[in-house]
């Protein structure tokens, strides 16, 4: 009975998939449990079969969870459930496709703070209302990985600061895709001292100006991996300037799946890349030549699946240990030369197929640094 009471706060948070005989399915190893509550009046108690699972995924078909505010007390002291919640095996939790009152979300986070949860994913959520401040006696959620995709917040640019107060400072991986407000309120956001991987991919309206506003100066002192796939970046030089303005010095930078120009604005000042950068991904960028202004030295440079019609000369490249040119027209006999006005001409067929299969592009960075379980 005690376990049932505390889990009421966690059940309803989250894309409709194919209809199944039962809303929840637990695999034979009791490792992964998936629930799809697509009925207008779902039986939430079905989710209790997930209490033994390590990975739990709950989706709710776009339903509003406001009625749950009448069934549970989100302000109740969760310490009474602490022992029960600690006994749960869940390490990875995905919640998706729902309208969630901020008060209910906070209640769930307070309960989860006593769990051994390491990775939390929120997808296709509409958070309504404002999040209350963290009570003095509350314990923050000790996540290593937080992934957000298509989550809207009623609080606008202050959403990250409000969410951050409910997290302990040990977060290592943060992914924010399809954000309705990708820029943060830098004055309110605290530093992420342990964050090593930041993925802002799949925010095509971000652009280089938005990147400057999002990479709040001195908020990401430990950042090593930065992914900016499909974010409206225009030139490597422009990205370099944004990183310099924010004081961010990643070791690995992913600019793939952007329509990059090979030359920067002649009036723009020259940007000196940080010597910490050793890996640069410029694949799937539509490049017909090697961009100007790249770092002088790299360990890895990925120029695969572009529109290069000849092998780059040594003087066009930085000093690089591992250069990838696969999927460019000059390596594939019979590939048509790019023609003006055609987006697909000059693209190797294998690369075109790969582009279609990209889907959720933040997966690789999200997994870095967040694989182990306690």
């Amino acid at each position: 009975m005690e376990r049932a009471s505390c889990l009421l706060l966690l059940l309803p948070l989250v894309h409709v998939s194919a209809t199944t005989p039962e809303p929840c399915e637990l695999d034979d190893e009791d490792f992964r449990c998936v629930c799809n509550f697509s009925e207008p009046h779902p039986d939430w108690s079905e989710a209790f079969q997930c209490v033994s699972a390590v990975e739990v995924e709950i989706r709710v078909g776009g339903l509003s969870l406001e009625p749950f505010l009448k069934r549970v007390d989100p302000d109740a002291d969760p310490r009474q459930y602490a022992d029960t919640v600690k006994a749960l095996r869940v390490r990875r939790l995905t919640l998706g496709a729902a309208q969630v009152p901020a008060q209910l979300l906070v209640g769930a986070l307070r309960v989860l703070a006593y769990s051994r949860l390491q990775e939390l994913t929120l997808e296709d959520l509409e958070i309504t209302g404002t999040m209350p401040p963290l009570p003095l006696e509350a314990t923050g959620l000790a996540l290593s990985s937080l992934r957000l995709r298509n989550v809207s917040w009623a609080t606008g640019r202050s959403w990250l600061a409000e969410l951050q107060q409910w997290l302990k400072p040990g977060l290592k991986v943060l992914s924010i895709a399809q954000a309705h407000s990708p820029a943060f309120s830098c004055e309110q956001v605290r530093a992420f001292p342990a964050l090593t991987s930041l993925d802002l991919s799949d925010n095509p309206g971000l652009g280089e100006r938005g990147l400057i506003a999002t990479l709040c100066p001195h908020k990401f002192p430990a950042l090593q991996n930065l992914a900016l796939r499909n974010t409206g970046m225009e030139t490597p030089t422009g990205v370099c300037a944004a990183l310099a303005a924010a004081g961010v010095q990643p070791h690995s930078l992913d600019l793939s799946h952007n329509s990059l120009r090979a030359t920067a604005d002649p009036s723009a000042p020259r940007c000196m890349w940080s010597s910490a950068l050793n890996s640069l991904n410029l694949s799937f960028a539509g490049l017909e030549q090697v961009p100007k202004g790249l770092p002088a030295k790299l360990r890895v440079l990925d120029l695969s699946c572009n529109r290069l019609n000849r092998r780059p000369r040594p003087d066009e490249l930085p000093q690089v240990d591992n250069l990838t040119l696969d999927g460019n027209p000059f390596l594939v006999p019979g590939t048509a030369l790019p023609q003006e006005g055609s987006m697909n001409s000059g693209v190797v067929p294998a690369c075109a197929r790969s582009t279609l299969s990209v889907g959720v592009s933040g997966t690789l960075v999200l997994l870095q640094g967040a694989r182990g379980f306690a």
Side-chain angles (χ1 to χ4, degrees):
M1 192 65 187
E2 181 183 12
R3 175 174 292 185
S5 299
C6 71
L7 286 176
L8 276 175
L9 283 169
L10 307 181
L11 289 183
L13 291 175
V14 239
H15 205 244
V16 177
S17 64
T19 302
T20 56
E22 299 293 336
C24 297
E25 293 185 353
L26 178 65
D27 65 19
D28 295 337
E29 291 75 29
D30 288 353
F31 186 84
R32 177 172 173 77
C33 186
V34 178
C35 294
N36 287 286
F37 294 105
S38 56
E39 298 296 325
H41 303 287
D43 181 3
W44 301 112
S45 64
E46 292 286 341
F48 287 120
Q49 64 183 286
C50 295
V51 296
S52 62
V54 175
E55 294 185 359
V56 177
E57 181 176 329
I58 301 177
R59 299 184 182 274
V60 182
L63 296 176
S64 172
L65 302 183
E66 188 170 354
F68 270 84
L69 289 176
K70 300 177 182 179
R71 300 173 55 182
V72 299
D73 181 6
D75 297 322
D77 189 347
R79 287 177 290 188
Q80 60 185 308
Y81 310 126
D83 292 339
T84 301
V85 175
K86 287 178 183 177
L88 298 175
R89 299 176 64 212
V90 62
R91 299 295 188 276
R92 298 188 181 116
L93 176 63
T94 297
L95 308 171
Q99 300 174 33
V100 185
Q103 190 177 9
L104 188 63
L105 176 62
V106 164
L109 294 177
R110 291 187 67 187
V111 172
L112 288 171
Y114 294 95
S115 72
R116 292 177 288 172
L117 186 69
Q118 294 183 347
E119 302 177 26
L120 176 62
T121 298
L122 304 179
E123 295 182 342
D124 304 319
L125 298 183
E126 179 185 354
I127 311 300
T128 60
T130 57
M131 299 183 70
L134 181 72
L136 293 177
E137 74 281 1
T139 300
L141 186 55
L143 294 176
S144 63
S145 172
L146 175 62
R147 179 175 174 265
L148 309 172
R149 174 172 287 274
N150 189 29
V151 179
S152 65
W153 307 80
T155 52
R157 296 177 69 240
S158 64
W159 69 266
L160 182 60
E162 294 189 2
L163 180 60
Q164 187 182 27
Q165 67 178 332
W166 294 92
L167 305 177
K168 288 186 176 180
L171 189 68
K172 296 179 180 179
V173 179
L174 176 61
S175 175
I176 304 171
Q178 299 177 15
H180 294 239
S181 180
F184 314 135
S185 176
C186 293
E187 300 80 13
Q188 297 175 294
V189 173
R190 302 191 306 273
F192 289 88
L195 194 76
T196 58
S197 295
L198 176 62
D199 191 345
L200 299 175
S201 300
D202 297 326
N203 289 294
L206 183 64
E208 292 164 10
R209 290 181 179 272
L211 180 61
I212 295 175
T214 300
L215 291 178
C216 302
H218 313 301
K219 302 295 185 180
F220 306 101
L223 191 64
Q224 297 180 13
N225 307 298
L226 178 60
L228 299 171
R229 293 178 291 275
N230 185 30
T231 50
M233 300 298 120
E234 299 179 17
T235 65
T237 300
V239 175
C240 174
L243 299 182
V248 173
Q249 300 183 357
H251 299 180
S252 173
L253 176 62
D254 189 346
L255 297 179
S256 64
H257 297 276
N258 287 287
S259 297
L260 297 176
R261 299 197 312 270
T263 57
D265 184 350
S267 62
R270 183 180 178 184
C271 180
M272 295 297 295
W273 291 89
S274 166
S275 59
L277 184 65
N278 58 47
S279 178
L280 180 60
N281 189 341
L282 300 178
S283 64
F284 295 93
L287 292 168
E288 297 181 11
Q289 64 186 68
V290 178
K292 305 293 184 182
L294 295 183
K297 185 177 181 179
L298 288 169
R299 183 175 56 83
V300 176
L301 176 60
D302 190 345
L303 288 168
S304 61
C305 291
N306 277 293
R307 302 168 72 184
L308 304 178
N309 290 307
R310 61 172 177 82
R311 181 176 293 276
R313 301 189 307 269
D315 63 315
E316 296 175 314
L317 295 167
Q319 181 181 342
V320 59
D321 297 332
N322 189 344
L323 174 65
T324 303
L325 295 169
D326 297 345
N328 279 284
F330 78 90
L331 291 173
V332 182
T335 302
L337 294 177
Q339 299 176 4
E340 186 176 356
S342 173
M343 291 297 294
N344 294 323
S345 58
V347 177
V348 175
C351 291
R353 290 193 297 271
S354 180
T355 300
L356 293 175
S357 65
V358 169
V360 178
S361 63
T363 303
L364 292 179
V365 169
L366 177 65
L367 292 177
Q368 293 181 15
R371 295 181 180 276
F373 290 133

